[in-house]
Amino acid sequence: MLNIALPKGRLGEKVYEIFARSGFECPEVLGDSRKLVFENPANGVRYFWAKPSDVAVYVERGAADIGVAGKDIIDEYRPDVYEMLDLGMGKCRMCVAARKDFRDNPDLTLRVATKFSHIARRYYASVGREIDVIHLNGSIELAPVLGMSDVIVDIVETGTTLRENGLEVIETIMPISARLIVNKSSFEFKKDQVLKVMQALATAVEE
Ligand code: PRP
C-alpha cells in the first residue's frame, strides 16, 4: 500500500483528481465526511488529508510515502525529502508587498511581517539588506496597514487581498506551485510503486 498525504482544501481536491485520472482512484476521498484516511486496496493506495503545511512532516517521517506540498512550504521548512515533480497547479508567487505610500529608506532596518521567516531572511540576505522579522501566522496584510511592519513577504495569488487593503507588490521573490515530494526510504524500498505513480502523474500533468 502506498501512503499518500494530500493537502486538505481546494488544492487537495484538484490534486486528488490528478491522482484519480492517473489510475489511482479512491472515490471516497471526495465524500462529504470528517474522515481523514481512505484506502483502495484494489489499486494499492491509501490517501489521507493533512493540513497543507504539515504534509512535508508526514512525508519526511515516513508516515506518508509521497505527498503534495507547495514550493513555499518546501522552501520554508526544508524537509529532508525528495522533490520530484512540479504538478503545475496551485500556482501563485511569493512577493514583497507594502502600502502604496511606502517609501523605503535603505539606511534603516526594514521591518518585515511574514509567515515565511526563512524565505524572507534568505531573500534579504541575498540582497544585503538588514531586516527585523515579525513572525505572524495569518492575515499578514494587517501588519503594514496598522504600521507594525514596513513590508510583508507573503503569497499572492489573484492580488485581491493586497488590493482590498491598499497594498501593492514591490518585488516578486519566486513563483510557487504544488510539488510531489517523496520520502527518502520509500524511494528506495517502494521504488517501483513510487515510480509508477510519478510517471502516471507526469503524463497526466502534461495532458
Ligand atoms: C493567502 C495569503 C494572502 C492571500 C493571497 O492567505 O497569505 O493573504 O492568500 O491570495 P489573493 O492574492 O488571491 O488575495 P490565506 O487565505 O492562506 O490565509 P492567511 O491570511 O491565514 O495566510
Side-chain angles (χ1 to χ4, degrees), residues 2-3 11 15 27-29 34 56 59 83 93 102 109 113-114 123 138 143 146 150 155 164 168 175-176 187 194 201:
L2 202 65
N3 293 298
L11 172 65
V15 167
E28 245 198 303
V29 167
R34 304 282 291 173
V59 175
E83 181 188 326
R93 49 200 178 117
F102 172 67
T109 297
T114 188
Y123 170 69
L146 301 179
D150 300 309
I155 283 169
E164 293 192 355
E168 64 184 7
I176 306 286
F187 195 62
V194 170
L201 288 176

Side-chain angles (χ1 to χ4, degrees), residues 88-144:
M89 50 175 51
K91 286 189 177 172
C92 51
R93 49 200 178 117
M94 185 67 69
C95 293
V96 179
R99 275 166 59 154
K100 289 201 167 119
D101 58 3
F102 172 67
R103 296 290 169 268
D104 192 13
N105 178 348
D107 297 331
L108 297 179
T109 297
L110 191 69
R111 298 170 304 158
V112 182
T114 188
K115 263 197 288 205
F116 301 97
S117 299
H118 176 76
I119 291 174
R121 285 203 176 88
R122 186 183 65 183
Y123 170 69
Y124 282 105
S126 78
V127 297
R129 182 71 190 268
E130 198 164 308
I131 62 168
D132 172 17
V133 171
I134 303 167
H135 189 91
L136 297 174
N137 297 301
S139 301
I140 315 298
E141 294 81 2
L142 262 179

Side-chain angles (χ1 to χ4, degrees), residues 20-35:
R21 272 213 315 278
S22 309
F24 304 97
E25 301 88 346
C26 181
E28 245 198 303
V29 167
L30 294 182
D32 194 14
S33 86
R34 304 282 291 173
K35 228 177 114 172

Side-chain angles (χ1 to χ4, degrees), residues 142-159:
L142 262 179
V145 169
L146 301 179
M148 186 168 81
S149 78
D150 300 309
V151 301
I152 61 174
V153 166
D154 200 12
I155 283 169
V156 177
E157 191 181 353
T158 61

Side-chain angles (χ1 to χ4, degrees), residues 4-7 11-19 21-22 55 66-71 74 83-91 176-181 197-207:
I4 305 170
L6 296 173
L11 172 65
E13 289 177 13
K14 283 202 217 152
V15 167
Y16 165 72
E17 274 156 20
I18 279 219
F19 276 85
R21 272 213 315 278
S22 309
V55 165
I66 63 179
V68 173
K71 183 66 177 161
I74 297 172
E83 181 188 326
M84 306 297 284
L85 184 65
D86 185 343
L87 296 178
M89 50 175 51
K91 286 189 177 172
I176 306 286
S177 57
R179 309 294 163 97
L180 183 77
I181 54 175
V197 172
M198 258 176 58
Q199 274 150 9
L201 288 176
T203 306
V205 167
E206 271 171 32
E207 284 165 1

Side-chain angles (χ1 to χ4, degrees), residues 162-177:
L162 292 183
R163 213 167 28 250
E164 293 192 355
N165 291 289
L167 305 176
E168 64 184 7
V169 169
I170 54 178
E171 287 297 337
T172 293
I173 298 180
M174 60 176 182
I176 306 286
S177 57

